[in-house]
Amino acid sequence: MLGARSGLSTSWINLATLHYVRMFKFLNLQPEVFGIDINDLSLRIVRLEKKRKGFNLVSFGEAEIKPGIVKEGVIQDQEALAKIIRFAFSTVKGKKLSTKYIIACLPEEKSFAQVIQMPKMTMEELQSSVPFEAENYIPLSIDKVYWDFQIINSHEDKENLEHLDLLVSMMPRSIVDAYVNCFKKAGLIPFVLEVESQAIVRALLNSGEGAAPIIFIDFGQTKTSFIIFAGNSIRFTSSISFSSRHLTEAISDTLGISFYEAEKLKIKYGLITEQKKNYNITKIVSPVLNELIDQIKKYMNFYYGHTSHGYFSSDNKIGKIILCGGGANLQGLPDFLYKELKIPVELGNPLINIVVPKRFQVNPLFSQKISSFTTALGLAIRGASEEA
């Protein structure tokens, strides 16, 4: 979605980092790059090696982030976060990291994305014209954001089109600069930056996937993100504060038990129909999940409404929903959503394009939390490919 037609453009990176990018391109070299995913409460690292039949997992790691260091995607304490990054870097499982170059994600909830229509013009003309048009759609002045755009027309007869559909994406400069500075404090060099939705789609999308639009829903620790993908492009993204924690809190409040005990019940029973004792977890959490379903329907209606106006250039119905993130592992969640939405729902497989050595398959840090590594894996795929 963001970048020089693929990912985040170098205009999002400071001049020092840009020097490294240009140097490698000039020398036609591809440095080793690993992926690093940061959210409010955790940090995950993955490095992959590109092989003939996909990617091999080489290194991975995880570290907790104390509440308050990162809040709603905004870094509050750069020194503390840099210390955690250095710790995670030095304690990865598998092969020791020998590179300082990273591909990192920026917080989806702080980005702005808008589909706009522009007259047909050259790329150079678009570069100078898009900022003036984009400023009509964002709550900040254009000089306070980094921005980029991607042409997303999927019409077969592009030559006869009278306009271009552009997905314009923006991020406050203060957010981007804070992440770049924090990585520098940790001794790392950002080679590529992109918003997390791109990494999620890259990790979960099968290269042989059909053309029908797909909704990706990422259930994170503090938020849920929605991504609509159609016509080989991300068309819409949004985030809400809902998370699996809300389900645990509902169980805790209803049954009068601790959060820890409620979390154990949620994991053990999920949304399965046969549950013991005098409580029903499904009944308790259904009102909370119904709020989520209302949000999904709202975004689906938004998508269909804009396809009818030609903005998304797709006449296809949404083919399926793919779930990811730690909260997606709730037992029975795909069936629950399917019954309410009447759209096939499946749990995403972030290893669909990756070969995992046997020694990693038995590691509980990775095997039991694989959905939580989705974004980091998507970043690492790009880092190991020729795209970066």
Side-chain angles (χ1 to χ4, degrees):
M1 181 175 70
L2 302 179
R5 315 293 76 79
S6 176
L8 198 58
S9 76
T10 50
S11 64
W12 288 53
I13 307 175
N14 64 6
L15 291 177
T17 302
L18 184 56
H19 166 75
Y20 290 105
V21 176
R22 286 175 174 167
M23 178 184 70
F24 279 112
K25 288 183 177 180
F26 176 76
L27 297 175
N28 197 28
L29 297 175
Q30 175 63 29
E32 291 184 355
V33 182
F34 66 90
I36 179 168
D37 169 34
I38 296 174
N39 57 54
D40 286 6
L41 298 176
S42 63
L43 177 157
R44 295 180 178 89
I45 288 175
V46 173
R47 188 167 86 81
L48 303 173
E49 287 183 351
K50 188 175 182 180
K51 299 296 182 181
R52 185 176 301 176
K53 295 184 179 180
F55 301 89
N56 283 3
L57 178 63
V58 176
S59 314
F60 70 93
E62 180 184 49
E64 291 186 0
I65 298 176
K66 292 182 179 180
I69 295 177
V70 181
K71 186 175 181 181
E72 297 180 353
V74 180
I75 300 175
Q76 306 291 329
D77 188 337
Q78 291 189 26
E79 293 292 345
L81 182 57
K83 183 177 180 180
I84 295 171
I85 293 172
R86 289 193 294 268
F87 170 78
F89 177 90
S90 64
T91 58
V92 294
K93 308 296 182 183
K95 189 175 181 180
K96 184 179 179 180
L97 294 172
S98 58
T99 178
K100 297 296 181 68
Y101 295 96
I102 63 172
I103 174 169
C105 68
L106 295 170
E108 192 78 39
E109 63 265 45
K110 297 304 177 183
S111 67
F112 306 96
Q114 177 71 40
V115 177
I116 66 173
Q117 290 186 341
M118 297 287 289
K120 287 192 68 174
M121 56 182 72
T122 66
M123 189 61 67
E124 290 74 18
E125 291 171 330
L126 286 172
Q127 289 284 355
S128 60
S129 301
V130 166
F132 298 100
E133 180 65 21
E135 196 163 21
N136 296 321
Y137 300 95
I138 61 175
L140 299 173
S141 60
I142 200 69
D143 63 334
K144 294 187 180 298
V145 302
Y146 291 112
W147 63 272
D148 203 9
F149 68 89
Q150 180 182 9
I151 300 173
I152 60 173
N153 293 80
S154 59
H155 302 86
E156 293 183 2
D157 188 12
K158 294 183 180 180
E159 295 298 324
N160 295 323
L161 285 175
E162 296 182 355
H163 68 271
L164 295 173
D165 294 339
L166 306 180
L167 182 60
V168 182
S169 302
M170 293 145 281
M171 181 79 71
R173 286 176 178 266
S174 59
I175 301 295
V176 180
D177 293 344
Y179 276 87
V180 171
N181 290 337
C182 189
F183 292 135
K184 290 172 63 177
K185 290 178 184 292
L188 302 178
I189 302 171
F191 193 73
V192 176
L193 301 175
E194 66 178 15
V195 291
E196 55 192 308
S197 56
Q198 276 195 293
I200 290 170
V201 171
R202 187 183 300 115
L204 299 179
L205 195 63
N206 190 332
S207 57
E209 200 73 59
I214 300 171
I215 295 181
F216 295 87
I217 302 179
D218 176 26
F219 292 95
Q221 291 177 286
T222 58
K223 63 181 175 61
T224 293
S225 297
F226 302 90
I227 307 163
I228 297 181
F229 182 90
N232 297 315
S233 174
I234 293 174
R235 303 301 175 120
F236 173 79
T237 65
S238 185
S239 297
I240 61 174
S241 59
F242 174 89
S243 69
S244 61
R245 182 181 183 89
H246 289 84
L247 304 180
T248 306
E249 290 173 348
I251 297 170
S252 174
D253 293 343
T254 302
L255 300 179
I257 58 179
S258 69
F259 184 91
Y260 174 76
E261 292 173 314
E263 182 71 13
K264 288 177 61 177
L265 287 177
K266 185 185 72 175
I267 294 173
K268 182 176 182 179
Y269 295 114
L271 303 177
I272 57 179
T273 54
E274 295 182 5
Q275 297 171 355
K276 298 179 180 180
K277 297 187 177 180
N278 297 322
Y279 52 77
N280 186 308
I281 302 301
T282 304
K283 184 177 180 180
I284 293 172
V285 302
S286 287
V288 182
L289 286 173
N290 286 334
E291 294 180 13
L292 174 65
I293 289 169
D294 288 341
Q295 290 289 332
I296 297 173
K297 290 179 178 178
K298 182 182 75 173
Y299 294 129
M300 288 173 59
N301 290 335
F302 173 83
Y303 172 75
Y304 287 134
H306 281 71
T307 56
S308 65
H309 288 85
Y311 285 107
F312 290 148
S313 305
S314 174
D315 297 325
N316 295 327
K317 297 290 185 180
I318 293 170
K320 64 180 176 181
I321 295 173
I322 297 180
L323 308 179
C324 64
N329 292 317
L330 181 67
Q331 292 186 73
L333 181 59
D335 289 338
F336 184 93
L337 295 178
Y338 173 73
K339 290 176 182 178
E340 297 294 329
L341 299 170
K342 309 304 179 188
I343 297 175
V345 181
E346 64 184 51
L347 189 63
N349 176 15
L351 298 178
I352 194 169
N353 302 304
I354 296 171
V355 176
V356 181
K358 291 183 178 179
R359 67 182 184 279
F360 290 158
Q361 294 176 13
V362 297
N363 188 304
L365 172 62
F366 191 79
S367 61
Q368 296 178 15
K369 296 185 176 182
I370 185 60
S371 290
S372 301
F373 276 83
T374 299
T375 301
L377 286 163
L379 293 168
I381 289 174
R382 183 172 180 187
S385 72
E386 297 178 354
E387 294 179 13

